[in-house]
Amino acid sequence: MQTITLGRSGLNVSRICFGTWQIGGDWGSFDEDAAIGAIRQARELGVTFFDTAQAYGFGASEELLGKALRPDLERDRDSVVIATKGGIDPGSDRPRKATREYLRSGVEQSLRHLGVDHIDLYQVHWPDEQTPAEETASALQELVDEGKIRHAGVSNYDSAQLAAFDRTRPVETLQPPYHLLRRDIETDPLPYARENDIGVLVYSSLGSGLLTGALTADSTFEESDWRSQSSAFQGENFRRNLAVVDELKEFAAGKNASVSQIAIAWTLAKPGIHVAIVGARRARNIADSVAAADVQLTADDIAEIERITAAGVPVTGASPEGIA
């Protein structure tokens, strides 16, 4: 497994990060034992970086990750890098809540759920325009000073929000959405992150399943799966993007790779992207994703991939306020 220094955080991590949104209850039902098996398979394959969030099942995802990693945590805590996120309260009157009090409470809860004495990377899940950036940033610095978190980052911020945070303490990492059908960060905030050596770990590398090749026009989703309410997984938009994926499959076959591996490899090849977050609920799926880190794409390959996906429909995703 390739590793990389995550920007100015200095953290050395695997280029594939195991993400756990899919085991928090927002993606329909799943088998807990199989999910634990997927996490442990990722470790066996060399993954050292794991990302979760307080909001994924209100701690359920963190607890499951802690349970799966317990043997590693007890044997050598520093062998894994655990990232989590806080600062949102989905379903409440104020879903974005990056106040000092709420962040501190969230860190304490996450420590308990994960069963650890410190969090390697704590990220503000979504920007909160109602809370001054200096309050959010200084609150995280206090938690660093206390040893409860080691590094501080943000998720879903734009460049202006990054700069506002930076004025109080450095933003060490950024976690934005990014994949072949969602490339808006290339305009903002990726250039700011590159200029300031901010470590970038991107989520939804597989387009929330769109880029796996496993979906068809007849695919349906459980009511508890957020995709059942998303315009990206319904109607003409869905059909157009599936046609793009079919063409990508042909390209991938010529590279002796899966379409998932091509999507992830493309992400990792883009300047300024340090890490791709991928999720899995079964061991066989994470094995395919991990292998993507070794897929080599030429400049001509990347140009062809982008020609194919230019016919796709740009997609969005879920936010604390709802689903587009």
Side-chain angles (χ1 to χ4, degrees), residues 7 37 44 95 104 121 137 139 144 148 174 183 192 201 242 245 274 282 286 317:
E44 291 177 9
R104 179 170 288 277
L121 172 62
V144 170
K148 294 179 178 179
L174 169 67
R183 298 179 58 181
Y192 182 95
L201 54 154
L242 288 177
V245 173
H274 296 80
R282 288 174 290 276
I286 193 61

Side-chain angles (χ1 to χ4, degrees), residues 248-259 262:
L248 277 175
K249 284 181 183 178
E250 295 181 16
F251 173 85
K255 298 287 291 183
N256 295 315
S258 68
V259 67
I262 292 299

Side-chain angles (χ1 to χ4, degrees), residues 173-192:
T173 64
L174 169 67
Q175 184 180 148
Y178 186 59
H179 55 78
L180 279 163
L181 298 171
R182 189 173 186 179
R183 298 179 58 181
D184 50 309
I185 70 163
E186 291 175 359
T187 302
D188 182 21
L190 189 56
Y192 182 95

